[in-house]
Amino acid sequence: MTWDWQYTGDVLPDLLHGLRYTLIATTLGYALALVLGLVWTLLRRTPYAAVNHTVRWITEFVRSTPLIPQLYFVFFVLPAFGLTIGSLTAGVLTLGVHYSTYTAEVYRAGIADVPKGQWEACTALNLPRSRAWLDVILPQAVRRVIPTLGNYLIAMFKDSPLLLAVNVVEVLNAAYQVGSRSLRFLEPITMVGLLFVVVSVISSILVRRLERRYATH
């Protein structure tokens, strides 16, 4: 089978439309993972053993189960309990919750890496606990883990084709649809691979620049 440039040009708009949904799902899912991961981390540091153990078991369960069964549960099982969610929303929520269990561990490592003297200084200055966290501890902790958080962004982007399982018309689903209509898969699937490489490389460059500007080593 030879490469058909005319066909490639014809299917490219459909692939770029699918890429748009891929980027939307990745961006929103990553934002949710960053916020929810911090929530898990802070809950793990509470003095209440019941909260600590409950959060630990929840995050371990989510992290230890594959992403596709989680997608199926959110999209196909929750409607049986009266909670119907759109495919894109289900994909964003599942990606966000799944990766939040990983970002939680990243935050935990960053917080543990903050020098003990910083905590002692907050106590000596009699800073309120909220100010100590927001103005002293978290800024230092996040700067220490920027490289790892950036890597999870790229990993989430590469996992986004799994949203095909819940009918999100992301870039791989778009390639499958146009290939099914023409029975030619060489061009659309190859273009999907190239689009993923391009976006991943650009993301890596941006993450490295962010790391050089803000991260501490």
Side-chain angles (χ1 to χ4, degrees):
M1 181 180 291
T2 59
W3 187 273
D4 189 338
W5 288 104
Q6 178 64 41
Y7 176 61
T8 303
D10 292 339
V11 302
L12 186 58
D14 290 328
L15 299 182
L16 293 177
H17 183 72
L19 181 62
R20 173 173 169 266
Y21 282 100
T22 299
L23 294 175
I24 290 173
T26 302
T27 302
L28 296 180
Y30 186 67
L32 177 60
L34 291 179
V35 174
L36 189 56
L38 183 58
V39 172
W40 295 138
T41 301
L42 296 179
L43 289 176
R44 284 289 305 274
R45 297 183 64 90
T46 62
Y48 305 105
V51 174
N52 191 320
H53 290 307
T54 300
V55 171
R56 181 169 64 88
W57 283 110
I58 290 174
T59 55
E60 285 293 334
F61 175 79
V62 174
R63 189 166 54 246
S64 301
T65 53
L67 186 56
I68 283 186
Q70 295 173 11
L71 285 167
Y72 278 132
F73 181 86
V74 173
F75 189 67
F76 294 109
V77 178
L78 288 185
F81 298 94
L83 185 59
T84 302
I85 303 175
S87 58
L88 181 60
T89 304
V92 169
L93 290 176
T94 307
L95 282 174
V97 172
H98 183 83
Y99 272 89
S100 72
T101 60
Y102 294 97
T103 59
E105 291 301 307
V106 175
Y107 285 131
R108 189 170 67 86
I111 292 171
D113 198 38
V114 174
K116 185 178 179 181
Q118 298 295 311
W119 296 93
E120 295 172 347
C122 292
T123 303
L125 293 172
N126 199 27
L127 286 179
R129 190 171 181 82
S130 59
R131 282 202 60 193
W133 276 103
L134 295 175
D135 297 340
V136 180
I137 304 303
L138 287 181
Q140 295 183 64
V142 171
R143 292 181 66 184
R144 282 172 163 77
V145 296
I146 284 177
T148 309
L149 291 177
N151 290 336
Y152 277 122
L153 170 62
I154 298 171
M156 181 184 290
F157 173 69
K158 292 189 291 185
D159 275 348
S160 62
L162 295 177
L163 302 187
L164 169 70
V166 292
N167 302 322
V168 177
V169 189
E170 43 71 51
V171 64
L172 182 61
N173 197 344
Y176 175 76
Q177 291 183 6
V178 297
S180 298
R181 290 195 297 266
S182 62
L183 298 181
R184 288 187 63 96
F185 289 94
L186 172 62
E187 293 84 357
I189 297 300
T190 302
M191 290 301 296
V192 167
L194 291 176
L195 288 173
F196 268 94
V197 170
V198 169
V199 175
S200 295
V201 169
I202 293 174
S203 300
S204 297
I205 293 173
L206 294 176
V207 168
R208 296 301 170 256
R209 287 186 176 180
L210 187 67
E211 177 184 346
R212 286 196 297 267
R213 182 169 182 176
Y214 295 107
T216 58
H217 303 280

